[in-house]
Amino acid sequence: MKRFFTAIILAFAFAATLPAQDIYGEVKNIMDNLQTIKDDTSKSLDVRKIATFKWDAIYYLLYKSKDDTEAMIGAQVDAMIDFVNLFIDQMDKTKNASRRQIILSKFKNATLENSLRNDTDKDVTYAYVDNQNFLTQFSLDTDWVKALEEVKK
């Protein structure tokens, strides 16, 4: 799992140097890689669920991005992946149940308090928020750059 996340981080490091018109192609490649993980039954269910959340978050960003620049989409995707990876890393390092709940609350609140579009369709945007079946209980309507800054404080 850590090798996958390292590969994604390296992909984004490379993407940061790409011209704006190539960012969409890189986002598409990331989605394709996430789809492969989602479909790979040899992977653990948790790994597949994390990939599912990331894929859905990127899809939501693209679906709602009619006026956004590719650079803005790329920055949001990059921040979302960093946000989720930081969350997973902190959860993996913490075995204490009350501390894990504090971490979850901190990250969840960061997504709820940093809406990107103020989307009123909460059935979609909050699909993961109260879903106990997913570790990534985050809003899809998130300004991931701001949320990432918030959890790093």
Side-chain angles (χ1 to χ4, degrees), residues 10-140:
L10 290 174
F12 271 109
F14 177 70
T17 63
L18 293 174
Q21 66 270 20
D22 293 335
I23 293 172
Y24 182 78
E26 189 60 31
V27 169
K28 173 77 170 90
N29 288 338
I30 291 167
M31 287 185 77
D32 290 345
N33 289 335
L34 291 169
Q35 184 67 47
T36 300
I37 293 168
K38 287 171 43 173
D39 295 340
D40 186 350
T41 57
S42 70
K43 303 268 187 220
S44 75
L45 187 56
D46 287 338
V47 168
R48 292 169 38 214
K49 284 182 176 184
I50 292 165
T52 298
F53 174 81
K54 288 178 179 180
W55 191 96
D56 287 348
I58 295 170
Y59 181 85
Y60 178 83
L61 279 167
L62 293 174
Y63 182 73
K64 295 288 185 170
S65 68
K66 64 178 178 164
D67 295 325
D68 297 340
T69 65
E70 287 190 43
M72 187 255 191
I73 293 167
Q76 288 294 321
V77 169
D78 189 26
M80 182 274 297
I81 289 175
D82 288 348
F83 181 94
V84 173
N85 290 349
L86 180 62
F87 171 73
I88 298 300
D89 184 54
Q90 288 187 17
M91 293 296 274
D92 284 347
K93 290 179 181 176
T94 305
K95 301 305 175 205
N96 179 289
S98 63
R99 179 69 183 129
R100 287 173 64 90
Q101 189 58 44
I102 291 169
I103 293 168
L104 175 60
S105 294
K106 175 183 176 180
F107 279 77
K108 182 190 283 191
N109 289 337
T111 68
L112 295 171
E113 294 170 3
N114 291 290
S115 176
L116 183 62
R117 307 201 186 284
N118 297 312
D119 191 338
T120 58
D121 187 356
K122 300 305 180 198
D123 287 340
V124 171
T125 62
Y126 286 8
Y128 289 91
V129 171
D130 293 320
N131 188 337
Q132 299 300 316
N133 294 320
F134 281 82
L135 183 60
T136 50
Q137 297 175 16
F138 309 136
S139 171
L140 295 176

